[in-house]
Amino acid sequence: MFNRLPMFQNQGRKALNHKLDNIQALTSVLNHPEKKFKSLHIAGTNGKGSSSHMLASVLQQAGYKVGLYTSPHLKDFRERIKINGTEIPENNVITFIKKYKSFFEENQLSFFEMTVGLAFDYFAKEQVDIAVIEVGLGGRFDSTNIINPEVSLITNISKDHIDILGNTLPEIAIEKAGIIKQNTPVVISEYNEETAPIFTKKAKEENAPIVFASSISTDLKTDLQGIYQEKNIKGVLAVLDFLRNDFWEISDDDIKIGLLNVVKNTGLKGRWQTLCEKPKIVCDTGHNEAGLSYVIKQISQQSFDKLHIVLGFAKDKDVEAALAMFPKDAKYYFCKPNIPRGLDTHILTEIAIKKGINGKAYNSVKQALEAAKENANSEDFIFVGGSTFVVAEIV
């Protein structure tokens, strides 16, 4: 059933619809579920998934019934839609699709539009206290951008999906700024002199209070691994400050405990996740220049005898720029994620050779990882990544 609907996760740009007409038509048929629950709206190039899960975890810790909508999924479609960490029941998905199948087909709804409608309908019927809603792509024309949230959060702006969102940071920021709503507080996790004026101007136009969270000082930690989480935490804290000022009951302990139990409370995977200790195997879903720069910095901080890297990309990424950041003295195992968007391993190998990186091509992600494990000793380090879809095949 899902295969009949356009899905950016698999197909890329041709699955997109740069309008909100379809999702508005669907929610009208559903009797506007998006107006029946409170929400937080999270956008950004990197960090929006981690930040969404942190917020959901803290709100759960505070005793609220919390909906969580994120994308993409790693293993199971139902990971996208959760309440208090529990995935939407399969029967709910089947019933929804059967009931509205003819509407989807007649109106040629995309996978995203259908999924957002399903999530909003489920959250409304289950009467969540609040839902944390992650933008799928961009912001301005994303299917989620029909909600009126309590607070909006924009985590980070860097170059990704440039064929869709724009070639420059200001162009991309304009798309992300599309989630800023009238009289609704907005938090920007990271200050960037190129993009800050875009957000400040849009916030002023909408009379939206704006906070740049990078100036926040905190010692709070999260169980989500990765040095990039330090910046995400600041944005999350600024959002929680707005909620507390609006009389949401969230204690300091709720914040501390919630941040330390994100994986337990929400089930998030793939963020500098350790899969094995000897040899140490770590995977991370970072897949663009900014995300991978943090990953590579963290790899450089590890202690090991030899470094093995299992690497694959989606073909719409700037692979040359990504490979230019990777260390030359590692042993590489190239693979293709099992989706139509996956970059052919032979093309990847050719690009890598031009960048001075030598490795061997494998027929699958699992085969590449098995080869790395066979070649590694107990004191070596194996990293698996380059794409969310590479990580999805081994977690």
Side-chain angles (χ1 to χ4, degrees):
M1 183 69 72
F2 296 129
N3 291 336
R4 299 181 61 179
L5 298 164
M7 182 178 180
F8 182 80
Q9 177 155 335
N10 287 335
Q11 298 180 12
R13 184 173 186 165
K14 64 183 180 179
L16 294 172
N17 174 20
H18 292 285
K19 295 185 293 184
L20 294 175
D21 298 6
N22 281 353
I23 187 62
Q24 288 169 338
L26 175 57
T27 53
S28 179
V29 168
L30 298 174
N31 196 23
H32 294 288
E34 77 280 8
K35 297 180 179 179
K36 297 175 182 176
F37 57 85
K38 296 182 183 299
S39 61
L40 301 174
H41 205 190
I42 321 298
T45 309
N46 296 296
K48 61 183 184 292
S50 294
S51 298
S52 295
H53 284 79
M54 285 186 208
L55 285 164
S57 181
V58 170
L59 288 163
Q60 284 173 229
Q61 198 67 43
Y64 292 104
K65 186 175 185 179
V66 185
L68 177 61
Y69 174 76
T70 58
S71 63
H73 61 270
L74 289 179
K75 306 294 281 187
D76 184 334
F77 164 81
R78 297 178 305 125
E79 294 169 25
R80 294 170 178 249
I81 304 168
K82 298 178 181 179
I83 294 177
N84 283 3
T86 301
E87 295 170 4
I88 183 172
E90 186 174 330
N91 188 56
N92 290 58
V93 179
I94 294 168
T95 300
F96 183 85
I97 292 172
K98 283 182 177 177
K99 185 173 181 179
Y100 298 105
K101 179 173 175 283
S102 60
F103 180 88
F104 299 152
E105 293 174 342
E106 288 167 13
N107 292 275
Q108 297 184 308
L109 260 69
S110 72
F111 175 86
F112 278 131
E113 290 160 344
M114 181 211 74
T115 308
V116 169
L118 169 62
F120 289 2
D121 186 65
Y122 180 57
F123 295 155
K125 286 177 177 174
E126 292 296 317
Q127 298 180 319
V128 298
D129 295 314
I130 191 167
V132 181
I133 308 296
E134 180 192 359
V135 166
L137 180 68
R140 185 162 56 119
F141 293 119
D142 188 76
S143 299
T144 63
N145 201 27
I146 57 170
I147 57 176
N148 289 298
E150 305 298 293
V151 187
S152 301
L153 169 64
I154 300 172
T155 57
N156 159 288
I157 303 297
S158 57
K159 291 183 179 180
D160 197 9
H161 304 296
I162 57 175
D163 58 328
I164 300 163
L165 302 179
N167 289 301
T168 68
L169 294 184
E171 285 178 317
I172 296 169
I174 288 170
E175 295 300 319
K176 309 291 186 187
I179 72 163
I180 299 175
K181 301 291 196 304
Q182 193 167 27
N183 300 319
T184 301
V186 59
V187 172
I188 314 297
S189 290
E190 296 183 36
Y191 181 87
N192 180 295
E193 61 182 15
E194 284 189 74
T195 59
I198 305 291
F199 297 132
T200 302
K201 180 175 180 289
K202 178 66 172 176
K204 186 175 181 180
E205 290 170 359
E206 300 294 342
N207 194 35
I210 184 169
V211 167
F212 289 90
S214 48
S215 59
I216 292 175
S217 179
T218 180
D219 294 324
L220 289 171
K221 304 294 183 185
T222 176
D223 62 328
L224 298 185
Q225 301 302 301
I227 53 178
Y228 46 81
Q229 301 299 357
E230 294 174 10
K231 295 186 177 182
N232 292 333
I233 286 175
K234 293 183 178 185
V236 166
L237 292 178
V239 171
L240 294 171
D241 276 345
F242 275 119
L243 290 179
R244 294 168 92 180
N245 289 337
D246 200 27
F247 305 107
W248 287 76
E249 294 183 4
I250 306 164
S251 71
D252 290 346
D253 279 348
D254 293 332
I255 295 173
K256 182 179 180 179
I257 297 168
L259 288 174
L260 289 172
N261 289 277
V262 178
V263 173
K264 176 185 173 184
N265 288 344
T266 69
L268 179 63
K269 296 178 180 179
R271 273 57 171 190
W272 197 258
Q273 181 179 347
T274 300
L275 304 176
C276 182
E277 284 296 344
K278 286 192 175 293
K280 184 136 188 188
I281 304 175
V282 169
C283 66
D284 192 278
T285 56
H287 56 272
N288 53 44
E289 194 170 343
L292 287 170
S293 67
Y294 283 111
V295 166
I296 291 163
K297 182 179 179 181
Q298 189 137 0
I299 290 173
S300 71
Q301 295 174 357
Q302 308 304 305
S303 297
F304 49 78
D305 285 347
K306 291 182 180 178
L307 175 61
H308 305 257
I309 297 180
V310 177
L311 200 60
F313 294 95
K315 58 189 174 186
D316 54 350
K317 301 301 178 186
D318 188 347
V319 177
E320 290 198 19
L323 285 173
M325 297 187 291
F326 277 86
K328 305 288 193 296
D329 56 350
K331 188 175 180 68
Y332 284 84
Y333 307 77
F334 299 121
C335 54
K336 172 185 176 294
N338 190 27
I339 58 167
R341 287 173 62 202
L343 179 66
D344 182 84
T345 50
H346 299 293
I347 296 174
L348 174 55
T349 304
E350 287 176 10
I351 297 171
I353 289 171
K354 290 177 184 177
K355 293 292 179 183
I357 292 174
N358 295 308
K360 185 177 177 182
Y362 292 86
N363 293 326
S364 70
V365 175
K366 288 186 178 179
Q367 191 181 87
L369 178 57
E370 284 305 312
K373 288 160 73 174
E374 287 175 11
N375 289 332
N377 67 43
S378 62
E379 301 306 313
D380 287 358
F381 185 87
I382 301 174
F383 173 76
V384 185
S387 169
T388 299
F389 311 113
V390 168
V391 172
E393 295 186 38
I394 52 99
V395 293

